[in-house]
Amino acid sequence: MDFDAAGNLVATNYGPGTLEIYSRSACHLRTINLPFRKCSNVHFLNDSSGRLLVTEHENNAIWCLEYGESGQIQYGWG
């Protein structure tokens, strides 16, 4: 899981193959369907591109997806 710049939680849902987005107050905001089912990790790239990396276990691959918003600045990015 990771956080976008607005502070929303982005979490993988292994099985249905989705990203679940939750607000700071734990309200479910939306679901993003992925092209695979067995996703396990998500992490934003440390730039302002709005891209994130998702690991999956059907093809044993790492996918780079367009999210549309940057990730939250993390320790060590500066």
Side-chain angles (χ1 to χ4, degrees):
M1 64 182 76
D2 206 347
F3 293 90
D4 65 22
N8 299 317
L9 174 69
V10 180
T12 57
N13 191 356
Y14 188 94
T18 59
L19 294 178
E20 304 297 338
I21 316 303
Y22 293 89
S23 71
R24 290 176 178 234
S25 58
C27 293
H28 185 261
L29 299 175
R30 63 185 168 132
T31 297
I32 299 172
N33 293 312
L34 300 171
F36 42 82
R37 294 183 351 173
K38 298 178 181 177
C39 52
S40 58
N41 297 291
V42 62
H43 187 72
F44 282 92
L45 295 177
N46 64 345
D47 56 19
S48 60
S49 67
R51 295 177 295 166
L52 48 80
L53 300 174
V54 179
T55 58
E56 58 90 3
H57 301 281
E58 288 180 30
N59 303 294
N60 296 317
I62 299 173
W63 292 63
C64 185
L65 305 171
E66 297 291 331
Y67 180 73
E69 291 183 48
S70 298
Q72 195 171 78
I73 295 177
Q74 299 181 7
Y75 178 78
W77 279 18

